[in-house]
Amino acid sequence: MNGLDPHAYVEDLSPGTGRLRPRAAFTTDLPTITLDGDWSFRLASGLDDLTGDFATPDFDDTAWDLLAVPSCWQMTGLPGEPRYGAPAYTNILYPFPVDPPRVPRENPTGEYRRAFDVPDGFPASAAVLRFEGVDSAFAVWLNGIRLGDGKGSRLTTEFDVSAALRPGRNVLAVRVHQWSSGSYLEDQDMWWLSGIFRSVSVAARGVEDFFVRTAYDHTTGQGTLAVDVTAPTRVSLSVPELGISAADPAGPHVIDGIEPWSDERPRLYTGELVSEAGERIPLRIGFRTVAVVDGVLTVNGRPISLRGVNRHEWHPLTGRTLTEDTMLTDVLLMKQHNINAVRTSHYPPDHRFLDLCDEHGLWVFCEGDLETHGFEPGGWRRNPSDDPAWREAYLDRTARLVERDKNHPSVVVWSLGNESGTGVNLAAAAAWIRRRDDSRLIHYEGDFASCAYVDLYSRMYIGVDELAAVGRGQEAPTADPADDAHRRALPAVLCEYGHAMGTGPGGLSEYQQVIEAHPRLAGGFIWEWIDHGITRTAPINGQEEPRSYYAYGGDFGEEIHDGNFVADGLLFPDRTPSPGLVEYKKVIEPVRIHIDPAAGQINVRNLHHVRDSGYLDFRWTVEDGGEPVGSGGLSVPATAAGATTTLAWPAEVTAALDAARKNDSGDQVWLTVTAVLAADETWAGAGHEIAWGQGLVVAPAASPAPVPPAPAIAHGGYVALGPARFDARTGVLTRLGDLELDGPMLDVWRAPIDNDLLSAFGEAQIGPWLAAGLDRMRHDVLGVEPDASGLTVTARLAAAGSSCGLGVVYRWTACDTPDAAGRTRLRLDAVVTPDGPWSVPLPRLGVAMSLPGTDAEVEWFGPGPGEAYRDSRAAARVGRHLSTVSAMQIPQVRPQENGNRHQVRRARITTPDGTLLISGDPVIDLTVRPWSTEALTAASHQHDLVRDGRLHLHLDHAHHGLGSAACGPGPTAPHVLAAVTTAFGVEFSTGR
């Protein structure tokens, strides 16, 4: 520390002073004093507003506030008004001028004080003060003695307190600065939050450190164990399950018949280190060997495929301060949704999360606390990654990453960081890791152009065509032939893809098909796990009870921000799974069930790493028009990992299908086979569904013979057609039986999804759509012509100022003869013809209408039960589904198009005023909302949406695909909705 400036450490490039060398996180039976709880707290506005003598033990802090530790100070006061500053969100840009290592002198600084007692007998002469996480720089005093300072927000920092700690009362003082030179290394696409956000403790120290090194030989079944121990006394090793009781933990100890650790069978052996001083340290040992074999990523001699997610630490009320229960919720949800891998974006997580990954089985890419993305807009000028002056800071962060987490079998890859350009400091960090731990691979996407110092060829957000080229080893060559040869020998991973922002992502099935087709492709990680919404409350329309919503960038008055780009997860902020997570679970299911009606066979393909399918129970169900007609268990032989079993339909299935055929309902008959857990696992109970498959066994009967049409009869202001009434001037359907209606009319606009509004690679789709006026199309009626067989309405849809339009002919017919249920069907046949040179795709193509009501029961036959779109529909299974309009709304953090039911064959909407029945010809996409598209488009948050007393129906022939263009590719060619001549039909009827 510069003696002339007591705060020089804030901008100094040094990672800290007075700190102990990093070591592993572990538990011990030596005593620990937890310092979590309420601390005295004062927030200073900057370095000119600090309390000069706050570290003295007798300083009077009774007038200060109390603040919980751990916590992020900007989150205090939520869901009301923040008490200490406010959260701020940027994706790339630093929220201060880029002038490294300098930061603003108006630097909010938290001053913390905590008095605590040290009990008699506590070994104060060999104790450490441990901070698990402090953002961003901090200095520490104990009993008025300055211990040191540190940076590296999401890394553990320890100080020797043997000279300052005393029996009885002690006073700890900590000064935490929001900004520091370290902030330039922590630009990680998340809320900027500050404080002591992980736990603090004083711990007795005996054994200093240890490194559990294991290996597994898949050819012999032998495991090798060596434990390197650093301790002041001799330490012995005991692993009773393996018959090990050794005075020398280093061995190496070679053991036959080892059960290796994997994500599917996370076998942990219980052991213990015991020092001569009597200290006992429990161990959980997993044996596994990570290697690249012929360009393929393997563990224990077998290829692995990463079905992963990127995980930020987040809670909508506490920010980056998480409880162990919240971490467990994350792990269990991942396992329950077939996820097998986590990239800890973009920093080491709370070490307890890795304990859970060890226990329940997740491959982990453990990432360093590093991102300098904010230098990219300036052409990477002055980027710390290539500046030798920052070398110590890079190596310090790398060492603290590796040393803390080195004993976790779940950690199979060290990741240097994220989006920090390239440079000598990253190369030095990789070299340091190789010297310290050669048992794991090294990852860093930013070096993809050469891969000179990494072990994986990593890419983010590339399209499926480029991914397939990488899988074939046909990517563009590097500048250096030696680097090119090295890179082509590496496995490839998608460290980020399938950007899960808003409605979507689309195209996950296409990615997975490519991944499974090429052994070089080791899978990837969806961006990301959870929406980073912050819980807020606000009064709505003068109501006394405020409504809750989730805030995002800009909602706290930030000078610069990136809006709702922080809400891009597979979970909503309250950890409710989004439709995107449900889709991902289906796309990556580890067992594939294919039903072949023509051959009368069921194929079960096991995509597991090592586990056979014997842990699953298989069940079958036959449904006729969504009605169950038979079900039972299915005997499937245990299928080895990588193998496929084919079996003929058992007699019970054949009998149920024969009964359905005899029933001759004229409806679709589907056979569904599911695979569920046969017994409880640590992460889910027996009966939890892992995979499913469906097959259409009986197609619907041909359409009934035509019946005489009813005439359309003009009656002054309306036209009557069977049970329907139309406005004579506009041709709009106003009544069907006793049910009041408004519409349907041609509709091509949708409330833009995030993937429409944003684009990381080129122009966003919203630009051409708005330029074409698709959000303001006028529906001009050109003719309303009743005749003896129906009603023809001719119209044109176009925007002011545009010479292009869409011509539409609505042909309405009704049957003179009621059907078997006594209903008279009303049919609409629409033909849409583009007029002019249409160069943009349409958001949607269908008809929109409304009817009175604020909620309704909705029943449909078709895929469900959740939302689905043309490029995100794998998780929707055909059946009869029941919901309500309210339940069909998807609470995206920023409201947008959502809730579509794809390829519905028929639907029933029941309101207090009556029931509307709808049938597609053969299918339609169905959306029902309690607010209009215009209201949905205008809303910024969920609390902006207010029911308007009508139910708004969209009956679509097709939608434009979802893609993931907000940070990735848009929809692929098959899912682009081109403006071409299109015909589609819908039938309506009413009933009670």
Side-chain angles (χ1 to χ4, degrees):
M1 182 181 67
N2 185 332
L4 299 178
D5 182 359
H7 313 302
Y9 64 92
V10 174
E11 294 182 345
D12 196 304
L13 296 187
S14 166
T17 61
R19 306 164 308 147
L20 293 169
R21 63 173 293 276
R23 60 174 179 153
F26 60 90
T27 58
T28 171
D29 66 349
L30 294 182
T32 296
I33 302 170
T34 180
L35 299 182
D36 292 354
D38 286 339
W39 291 44
S40 297
F41 178 78
R42 173 182 179 267
L43 182 64
S45 61
L47 299 183
D48 298 325
D49 183 34
L50 301 181
T51 307
D53 57 349
F54 94 113
T56 59
D58 58 354
F59 176 82
D60 183 4
D61 59 18
T62 55
W64 286 17
D65 295 340
L66 292 179
L67 180 70
V69 170
S71 71
C72 305
W73 75 55
Q74 292 91 343
M75 302 294 287
T76 306
L78 295 169
E81 290 303 312
R83 292 180 59 188
Y84 306 113
Y89 169 62
T90 63
N91 171 27
I92 297 173
L93 299 178
Y94 293 104
F96 46 78
V98 181
D99 185 22
R102 285 182 278 275
V103 293
R105 192 160 183 85
E106 295 74 28
N107 187 352
T109 297
E111 296 180 326
Y112 293 78
R113 285 173 53 88
R114 168 69 191 262
F116 64 96
D117 290 327
V118 172
D120 292 340
F122 186 86
S125 61
V128 298
L129 173 63
R130 178 182 302 131
F131 292 87
E132 304 283 1
V134 183
D135 192 320
S136 76
F138 67 110
V140 184
W141 293 259
L142 180 60
N143 296 323
I145 300 172
R146 193 180 193 279
L147 301 180
D149 54 78
K151 304 184 187 78
S153 298
R154 284 148 284 279
L155 298 158
T156 300
T157 304
E158 290 185 328
F159 299 94
D160 183 352
V161 294
S162 58
L165 194 67
R166 59 196 181 205
R169 185 176 185 270
N170 291 259
V171 176
L172 180 62
V174 184
R175 183 170 278 149
V176 181
H177 306 277
Q178 180 164 349
W179 311 121
S180 70
S181 61
S183 301
Y184 286 101
L185 307 183
E186 297 175 0
D187 184 25
Q188 291 135 322
D189 184 13
M190 58 187 180
W191 292 98
W192 294 92
L193 299 173
S194 315
I196 304 173
F197 70 95
R198 291 183 185 159
S199 290
V200 183
S201 60
V202 173
R205 185 174 188 178
V207 171
E208 290 187 15
D209 197 12
F210 60 91
F211 191 170
V212 178
R213 300 178 184 267
T214 66
Y216 176 74
D217 186 336
H218 66 281
T219 64
T220 65
Q222 288 184 327
T224 302
L225 172 64
V227 185
D228 301 332
V229 181
T230 303
T233 62
R234 296 183 63 182
V235 176
S236 63
L237 170 67
S238 172
V239 190
E241 290 180 273
L242 301 178
I244 295 175
S245 180
D248 179 13
H253 309 280
V254 180
I255 313 102
D256 292 328
I258 283 292
E259 298 176 53
W261 188 97
S262 74
D263 68 305
E264 296 164 3
R265 290 186 174 135
R267 180 64 161 96
L268 295 171
Y269 291 89
T270 300
E272 190 176 50
L273 292 174
V274 182
S275 74
E276 284 186 332
E279 178 183 6
R280 293 181 177 274
I281 298 172
L283 304 178
R284 297 198 305 174
I285 303 166
F287 292 85
R288 50 105 186 94
T289 294
V290 185
V292 173
V293 179
D294 297 328
V296 175
L297 176 60
T298 69
V299 178
N300 301 329
R302 294 186 62 88
I304 66 171
S305 184
L306 304 165
R307 307 187 299 271
V309 291
N310 286 274
R311 174 186 177 267
H312 266 299
E313 294 180 307
W314 187 252
H315 188 281
L317 281 172
T318 60
R320 281 190 287 283
T321 299
L322 302 186
T323 65
E324 190 165 355
D325 284 345
T326 299
M327 300 176 213
L328 178 60
T329 296
D330 282 347
V331 169
L332 298 185
L333 280 170
M334 290 176 190
K335 294 289 292 187
Q336 291 163 9
H337 287 84
N338 293 331
I339 290 164
N340 72 352
V342 180
R343 179 182 175 221
T344 67
S345 53
H346 296 294
Y347 43 82
D350 188 302
H351 67 87
R352 295 172 295 174
F353 177 77
L354 298 178
D355 292 336
L356 295 169
C357 294
D358 293 342
E359 178 181 350
H360 298 285
L362 289 166
W363 307 116
V364 175
F365 278 39
C366 200
E367 192 147 275
D369 192 6
L370 175 66
E371 182 168 334
T372 68
H373 203 173
F375 287 91
E376 184 183 31
W380 295 107
R381 175 177 171 267
R382 303 175 71 186
N383 182 23
S385 295
D386 204 34
D387 183 347
W390 293 82
R391 177 186 174 95
E392 182 186 3
Y394 275 63
L395 292 180
D396 175 79
R397 288 169 184 256
T398 300
R400 290 159 72 193
L401 161 74
V402 172
E403 298 295 358
R404 193 199 73 166
D405 298 334
K406 57 182 177 279
N407 293 325
H408 290 283
S410 58
V411 176
V412 292
V413 171
W414 298 118
S415 183
L416 301 180
N418 185 66
E419 293 176 321
S420 297
T422 58
V424 294
N425 295 330
L426 289 162
W432 186 95
I433 292 174
R434 286 197 171 87
R435 291 192 299 271
R436 179 60 174 147
D437 178 21
D438 62 0
S439 69
R440 296 174 171 98
L441 304 181
I442 296 175
H443 166 269
Y444 177 65
E445 181 270 343
D447 187 37
F448 71 86
S450 70
C451 293
Y453 44 81
V454 296
D455 302 313
L456 297 166
Y457 176 33
S458 180
R459 299 297 304 276
M460 57 170 69
Y461 305 117
I462 61 175
V464 291
D465 291 342
E466 185 176 357
L467 180 64
V470 171
R472 296 189 298 267
Q474 296 174 347
E475 68 269 21
T478 68
D480 186 312
D483 287 345
D484 192 65
H486 168 68
R487 193 180 70 180
R488 292 181 193 279
L490 300 180
V493 298
L494 286 166
C495 68
E496 297 178 21
Y497 81 110
H499 193 254
M501 185 178 181
T503 302
L508 294 182
S509 292
E510 295 167 284
Y511 276 102
Q512 193 64 24
Q513 290 165 9
V514 172
I515 289 168
E516 293 178 10
H518 301 284
R520 185 192 188 192
L521 302 180
F525 302 87
I526 296 295
W527 185 269
E528 67 156 305
W529 178 236
I530 187 169
D531 286 343
H532 298 203
I534 293 178
T535 303
R536 298 299 307 274
T537 56
I540 307 299
N541 292 340
Q543 298 175 7
E544 291 186 6
E545 287 296 324
R547 287 181 60 184
S548 178
Y549 68 98
Y550 292 112
Y552 48 76
D555 287 338
F556 296 96
E558 299 100 309
E559 179 182 2
I560 58 171
H561 64 85
D562 286 289
N564 67 312
F565 204 74
V566 76
D568 48 8
L570 293 170
L571 295 181
F572 295 124
D574 64 356
R575 283 180 162 73
T576 299
S578 74
L581 180 56
V582 177
E583 175 79 358
Y584 191 45
K585 175 186 178 180
K586 173 60 179 173
V587 167
I588 61 173
E589 57 188 8
V591 174
R592 295 286 162 74
I593 301 169
H594 175 69
I595 296 172
D596 185 347
Q601 293 179 336
I602 300 167
N603 298 309
V604 177
R605 182 185 173 204
N606 185 356
L607 300 178
H608 277 302
H609 170 58
V610 293
R611 198 172 195 183
D612 67 39
S613 66
Y615 76 104
L616 299 172
D617 277 343
F618 291 82
R619 303 170 182 172
W620 63 269
T621 302
V622 171
E623 293 177 315
D624 184 354
E627 294 288 346
V629 295
S631 63
L634 185 67
S635 179
V636 178
T639 304
T644 299
T645 292
T646 300
L647 60 155
W649 290 347
E652 296 88 347
V653 171
T654 301
L657 292 172
D658 288 343
R661 291 187 181 97
K662 290 178 182 177
N663 184 43
D664 196 22
S665 68
D667 219 327
Q668 293 180 338
V669 177
W670 288 80
L671 170 62
T672 304
V673 175
T674 60
V676 302
L677 292 180
D680 291 347
E681 300 275 343
T682 64
W683 42 270
H688 171 76
E689 186 176 276
I690 300 296
W692 59 272
Q694 278 192 312
L696 176 61
V697 182
V698 179
S703 300
V707 296
I713 303 172
H715 295 277
Y718 71 91
V719 176
L721 177 60
R725 298 292 183 270
F726 296 84
D727 184 282
R729 182 179 59 85
T730 64
V732 169
L733 177 65
T734 59
R735 183 167 294 277
L736 185 60
D738 295 328
L739 196 59
E740 182 223 316
L741 300 172
D742 182 13
M745 292 191 295
L746 184 66
D747 184 29
V748 296
W749 181 247
R750 70 184 183 193
I753 65 174
D754 290 321
N755 290 321
D756 299 333
L757 291 171
L758 302 170
S759 176
F761 310 105
E763 183 181 18
Q765 183 62 67
I766 190 66
W769 282 354
L770 294 179
L774 295 181
D775 62 325
R776 50 186 178 83
M777 300 286 271
R778 297 177 179 177
H779 187 271
D780 293 327
V781 176
L782 306 179
V784 179
E785 302 174 10
D787 57 40
S789 59
L791 174 67
T792 301
V793 180
T794 307
R796 188 173 189 270
L797 206 64
S802 174
S803 62
C804 294
L806 296 169
V808 56
V809 176
Y810 306 95
R811 178 59 182 171
W812 292 96
T813 54
C815 301
D816 248 348
T817 306
D819 62 16
R823 304 186 186 99
T824 302
R825 296 191 304 274
L826 177 70
R827 180 178 176 87
L828 167 64
D829 287 286
V831 178
V832 180
T833 305
D835 175 22
W838 279 89
S839 59
V840 298
L842 300 177
R844 73 188 327 144
L845 181 62
V847 292
M849 59 191 298
S850 70
L851 66 160
T854 58
D855 205 351
E857 183 180 270
V858 183
E859 180 184 332
W860 73 97
F861 176 59
E867 78 171 19
Y869 291 84
R870 63 191 297 168
D871 59 347
S872 180
R873 58 183 180 179
R877 70 185 81 183
V878 176
R880 192 178 69 173
H881 306 286
L882 184 65
S883 187
T884 63
V885 173
S886 294
M888 294 170 78
Q889 309 312 301
I890 309 301
Q892 297 292 351
V893 171
R894 186 195 69 79
Q896 55 198 275
E897 162 64 37
N898 72 88
N900 183 66
R901 269 52 183 182
H902 185 57
Q903 295 187 334
V904 170
R905 184 166 176 80
R906 60 179 180 270
R908 178 193 303 265
I909 300 170
T910 303
T911 75
D913 295 332
T915 298
L916 177 66
L917 293 95
I918 305 167
S919 297
D921 183 17
V923 293
I924 56 167
D925 277 19
L926 170 69
T927 310
V928 193
R929 296 199 181 99
W931 37 70
S932 67
T933 295
E934 291 74 19
L936 191 61
T937 300
S940 296
H941 300 84
Q942 282 294 321
H943 71 277
D944 296 328
L945 293 169
V946 179
R947 297 170 191 262
D948 62 8
R950 297 194 69 81
L951 299 176
H952 300 266
L953 277 65
H954 296 270
L955 310 174
D956 292 315
H957 170 72
H959 263 266
H960 186 63
L962 303 179
S964 61
C967 195
T972 56
H975 303 302
V976 172
L977 180 56
V980 296
T981 299
T982 305
F984 56 93
V986 188
E987 286 191 355
F988 303 90
S989 59
T990 61
R992 281 282 182 181

